[in-house]
Amino acid sequence: MNSRRKSFRSFTEILLSFSLRILFLIGLLYLILQGVKIAYGYGHGLLYERAMEKEPGREITLEIKQGESAGEIADKLKGLGLIDNTQAFVLKAKLYHTSLLPGSYTLSTAMTQLQMLDFIAEEGKKNQELSDKNLVKESESETEEENVIGGGNENEQDNSSVSGKQQEIDAGNEGEQ
């Protein structure tokens, strides 16, 4: 009986060892498949461009505030239904060195992520240039106003000196009479 017990123990140890190895391999295979799924999601999001809706799509206004990060903007876009993969949007913005300037942008659900990035960058630059020109024009008009005000003060000083000379002339004329 002793030899039967030993053979039974040996058999159960082998079976248990084999079962643990199989469970370990199944777990490892599961993790590898999950990694492939995640990698596919990133790759698909980066390489495959698709719009959320077919043409003509819906127009939606996006408001970007000063200091917002690409991640916050991507979250807004996802919330508005313009994109479905925020991580791919952020990565594309970094890869293409897109400047996401503050402003109000009207985007379409028929636009791809790259089209949105290009549109935001181009419109943001245009808005920035316009605001810079307005600032220059405002500062020029302020300078012109100062010149007019300064000119008015100079004229008053000139008038007072003229009126003072006129008084001297009048006094001299009275003295001669």
Side-chain angles (χ1 to χ4, degrees):
M1 269 226 208
N2 213 2
S3 69
R4 254 184 146 177
R5 272 191 174 164
K6 284 184 183 181
S7 67
F8 183 71
R9 252 190 195 164
S10 156
F11 176 74
T12 55
E13 286 175 0
I14 293 171
L15 187 60
L16 193 60
S17 173
F18 182 72
S19 298
L20 289 175
R21 286 180 185 170
I22 294 293
L23 285 175
F24 176 74
L25 289 175
I26 289 172
L28 188 61
L29 183 63
Y30 175 77
L31 290 175
I32 290 172
L33 288 175
Q34 290 301 315
V36 167
K37 182 180 174 185
I38 291 170
Y40 176 78
Y42 278 115
H44 190 266
L46 287 174
L47 301 175
Y48 178 70
E49 282 290 311
R50 71 172 190 87
M52 295 298 286
E53 294 179 4
K54 292 183 179 182
E55 288 289 337
R58 294 176 289 126
E59 287 190 350
I60 298 174
T61 302
L62 169 70
E63 186 72 32
I64 298 177
K65 296 178 182 164
Q66 184 69 32
E68 279 187 316
S69 68
E72 292 169 330
I73 294 168
D75 289 338
K76 281 184 176 181
L77 289 169
K78 186 172 184 175
L80 293 171
L82 291 165
I83 63 171
D84 60 352
N85 190 338
T86 58
Q87 295 163 338
F89 182 85
V90 171
L91 193 55
K92 285 178 186 177
K94 288 179 183 177
L95 287 174
Y96 292 103
H97 302 288
T98 305
S99 57
L100 302 170
L101 298 171
S104 182
Y105 304 94
T106 303
L107 303 171
S108 171
T109 55
M111 297 171 87
T112 65
Q113 289 183 6
L114 285 179
Q115 289 172 333
M116 286 181 206
L117 285 169
D118 289 342
F119 181 80
I120 291 170
E122 289 173 16
E123 290 298 312
K125 286 178 187 175
K126 288 178 188 175
N127 292 339
Q128 188 77 29
E129 289 173 3
L130 287 175
S131 68
D132 288 347
K133 286 181 182 178
N134 285 340
L135 289 176
V136 170
K137 287 181 181 177
E138 287 176 11
S139 65
E140 288 175 0
S141 64
E142 288 174 4
T143 306
E144 289 174 6
E145 288 175 10
E146 288 174 3
N147 289 340
V148 170
I149 292 171
N153 288 340
E154 291 171 0
N155 291 339
E156 287 177 14
Q157 290 173 352
D158 290 343
N159 288 341
S160 64
S161 64
V162 168
S163 64
K165 288 180 183 178
Q166 185 66 35
Q167 287 175 355
E168 289 175 9
I169 292 173
D170 288 343
N173 286 340
E174 287 177 6
E176 289 177 3
Q177 288 177 2

